[in-house]
């Protein structure tokens, strides 16, 4: 083989090596881009989940406040009902006592 053939063969080998390196670089670049998209997708998903979690926490706080208000209202109604029941009992006892006193004054048996 003469020098020209060796030079041509060397050029072909260098070209093939460059093409192989370019192909490997392209695959690596594609993998990096895909990994970047996956990481970006995960980041978006995490952000969405955190936002949803904060919304649910806010709703929970609101519902807990509403529940506490409902319990307070129920307790107030029960207290009012209890006070009203005591007043009814007092008035009933007073009426019974007045009837008994009236019967006594009229000379009827109680």
């Amino acid at each position: 083989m003469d020098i020209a053939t060796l030079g041509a063969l060397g050029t072909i080998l260098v070209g093939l090596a460059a093409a192989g390196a370019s192909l490997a670089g392209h695959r690596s670049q594609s993998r990096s881009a895909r990994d970047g998209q996956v990481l970006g997708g995960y980041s978006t998903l995490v952000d969405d989940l955190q936002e949803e979690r904060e919304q649910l926490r806010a709703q929970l706080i609101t519902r807990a406040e509403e529940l506490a208000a409902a319990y307070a209202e129920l307790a107030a109604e029960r207290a009012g009902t209890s006070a009203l029941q005591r007043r009814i009992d007092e008035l009933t006892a007073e009426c019974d006592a007045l009837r008994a006193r009236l019967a006594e004054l009229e000379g009827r048996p109680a």
Side-chain angles (χ1 to χ4, degrees), residues 4-19:
T5 307
L6 288 176
L9 189 59
T11 303
I12 291 173
L13 289 175
V14 167
L16 287 174

Side-chain angles (χ1 to χ4, degrees), residues 9 15 24 27 31 38 47 74 107:
L9 189 59
R27 284 186 181 174
R31 185 178 304 124
V38 168
D47 291 344
L74 180 61

Side-chain angles (χ1 to χ4, degrees), residues 14-59:
V14 167
L16 287 174
S22 174
L23 183 62
H26 180 68
R27 284 186 181 174
S28 175
Q29 182 182 14
S30 295
R31 185 178 304 124
S32 295
R34 185 179 60 243
D35 290 347
Q37 289 173 346
V38 168
L39 290 177
Y42 284 143
S43 177
T44 302
L45 179 62
V46 168
D47 291 344
D48 290 346
L49 290 174
Q50 287 176 343
E51 182 178 332
E52 183 178 356
R53 183 181 62 201
E54 292 305 316
Q55 289 173 352
L56 290 175
R57 280 186 180 161
Q59 285 179 350

Side-chain angles (χ1 to χ4, degrees), residues 72-86:
E73 184 178 339
L74 180 61
E77 287 177 4
R78 285 184 179 168
T81 301
S82 179
L84 184 59
Q85 186 61 48
R86 279 193 305 271

